[in-house]
Amino acid sequence: MILLDGKAVASEIKQLLKKEINGYIKNGLRPPSLAVILVGDDPASNVYVKNKRESSEEVGINSLCLKLPSETTEEELLKLIEKLNNDDDIDGILVQLPLPPHIHTQKVIEAISPTKDVDGFHPLNMGKLATNVKDGVIPCTPLGIWLMLKHYKIPTFKKDVVIVGASNIVGKPMSLLFLKNEEATVTVCHRNTRDLKSHTLAAEILIVAVGKPKLITADMVQEGAVVIDVGINKLENGKLVGDTDFEKLKEKVSAITPVPGGVGPMTVASLLVNTVHLYRLRHGFPAHPLTEI
Ligand code: NAD
């Protein structure tokens, strides 16, 4: 059984990006820059933003962290995004989700210029992914999972892939990545799937992004499957776990991601890749090779 070590793969990607960014600076270009907006003081969001900021700085990306009070109005937030959209020194804009309920999330996502949309959530970038148009932005978690599968040379061609969870940020774009070059056969399950087990049992590669501890038990996976656990759940005792019964599954599968230390670090590494990708496009360079699928 291979433990898919997201932390180690992410660290390799960061080394590559650091080298690449040093090259730009040596050639007299400014470093890439990422603006992260956090509205309110949700503790989990605070941790995510801190992580993103530290990782950006590690590789030489300038990070600008804009913390706004939870009572910030939608109009104020949209104005700030507009200002950042027009700032030539900013390559990527990220608004940490979830937003307070009085702010319309989709409106905010659509206000970010697609050329600065590091998360890849803008409908134009989603549409590019769905229709195989180059130079778009792939959402960070699916890109991270893809890069991890490629790093471990896990075959994806002609495989039966099952994705549990159909959100706009993980499940749906993940399915589009596998469909991009008609790479694999994809089944997407969600809360209205009638017989989840019948689908998960058929998976050669199983990707789970739901947010329910132990949703996937050992009897639901086939011998030798590759399992990617995206879920992050905090138990009452403070322990972080994924969506699968990791201890039991690891006896049966050929590869699995741990939680924490699997998909999480790959998501952050992909955010850095996307920032450098947008920086490259802004400077007239081709798309970043790690985004070419
Ligand atoms: P979401 O709540 O937007 O979507 C959850 C999906 O799961 C929905 O499609 C829903 O239909 C489906 N679902 C719910 N109950 C189900 C059931 N019983 N059977 C089958 N499907 C079911 O969630 P999301 O934003 O995609 O996140 C999912 C999980 O992944 C969360 O735990 C989140 O914290 C985690 N996450 C982790 C990372 C990372 O970097 N590791 C990134 C994004 C999300």
Side-chain angles (χ1 to χ4, degrees):
M1 194 275 298
I2 304 169
L3 193 66
L4 302 169
D5 187 346
K7 220 171 155 187
V9 184
S11 158
E12 269 187 37
I13 292 175
K14 285 197 233 169
Q15 289 308 316
L16 283 176
L17 292 175
K18 193 172 179 176
K19 242 179 158 175
E20 182 181 343
I21 293 169
N22 273 337
Y24 298 134
I25 292 167
K26 273 190 195 136
N27 283 310
L29 294 173
R30 66 162 175 80
S33 60
L34 172 66
V36 179
I37 304 174
L38 175 63
V39 186
D41 48 13
D42 176 62
S45 292
N46 257 308
V47 173
Y48 294 145
V49 165
K50 184 168 167 266
N51 250 337
K52 289 169 183 176
R53 186 181 187 164
E54 285 172 0
S55 300
S56 302
E57 280 162 9
E58 232 180 279
V59 302
I61 291 173
N62 270 345
S63 84
L64 180 68
C65 186
L66 300 150
K67 289 195 175 183
L68 308 178
S70 54
E71 57 277 9
T72 303
T73 65
E74 184 177 286
E75 201 190 342
E76 286 167 333
L77 179 58
L78 294 175
K79 259 194 191 147
L80 173 62
I81 292 172
E82 186 58 21
K83 192 168 147 237
L84 296 167
N85 279 342
N86 292 322
D87 185 339
D88 277 342
D89 287 336
I90 299 287
D91 301 299
I93 303 170
L94 182 155
V95 178
Q96 184 64 44
L97 301 180
L99 286 167
H102 65 277
I103 299 180
H104 196 276
T105 303
Q106 191 58 23
K107 210 167 172 183
V108 170
I109 288 173
E110 291 182 26
I112 298 171
S113 162
T115 63
K116 298 196 176 190
D117 169 35
V118 266
D119 263 334
F121 295 162
H122 192 286
L124 187 77
N125 284 318
M126 282 286 187
K128 284 186 173 182
L129 177 59
T131 53
N132 294 1
V133 176
K134 277 191 139 213
D135 296 350
V137 183
I138 301 166
C140 301
T141 302
L143 177 60
I145 292 170
W146 186 270
L147 293 175
M148 179 143 70
L149 292 172
K150 295 299 142 189
H151 176 92
Y152 281 97
K153 299 193 169 45
I154 291 170
T156 49
F157 188 59
K158 292 193 176 179
K159 294 294 177 191
D160 288 330
V161 176
V162 176
I163 300 169
V164 187
S167 70
N168 286 344
I169 65 167
V170 190
K172 263 188 237 162
M174 190 75 242
S175 70
L176 294 172
L177 274 187
F178 284 107
L179 292 176
K180 202 155 182 230
N181 301 310
E182 300 191 352
E183 177 84 10
T185 303
V186 191
T187 303
V188 184
C189 304
H190 43 74
R191 59 169 61 88
N192 295 317
T193 298
R194 258 190 298 153
D195 181 1
L196 184 62
K197 184 174 170 180
S198 69
H199 295 285
T200 57
L201 268 177
E204 291 172 293
I205 300 175
L206 177 64
I207 300 174
V208 192
V210 171
K212 292 204 167 129
K214 294 198 183 171
L215 176 72
I216 306 296
T217 46
D219 58 315
M220 295 172 80
V221 299
Q222 61 172 262
E223 198 84 39
V226 173
V227 178
I228 307 291
D229 191 345
V230 185
I232 304 175
N233 307 291
K234 200 169 187 175
L235 299 182
E236 272 178 12
N237 61 10
K239 201 177 162 212
L240 279 188
V241 296
D243 290 345
T244 67
D245 189 353
F246 178 84
E247 288 306 321
K248 301 254 169 61
L249 259 70
K250 75 179 202 287
E251 309 297 328
K252 198 171 178 187
V253 299
S254 64
I256 188 165
T257 54
V259 177
V263 176
M266 292 304 296
T267 298
V268 178
S270 301
L271 170 70
L272 309 179
V273 170
N274 279 345
T275 306
V276 178
H277 170 61
L278 292 175
Y279 168 88
R280 287 168 63 104
L281 297 179
R282 181 161 298 280
H283 286 83
F285 300 130
H288 197 282
L290 289 176
T291 68
E292 276 174 355
I293 281 155

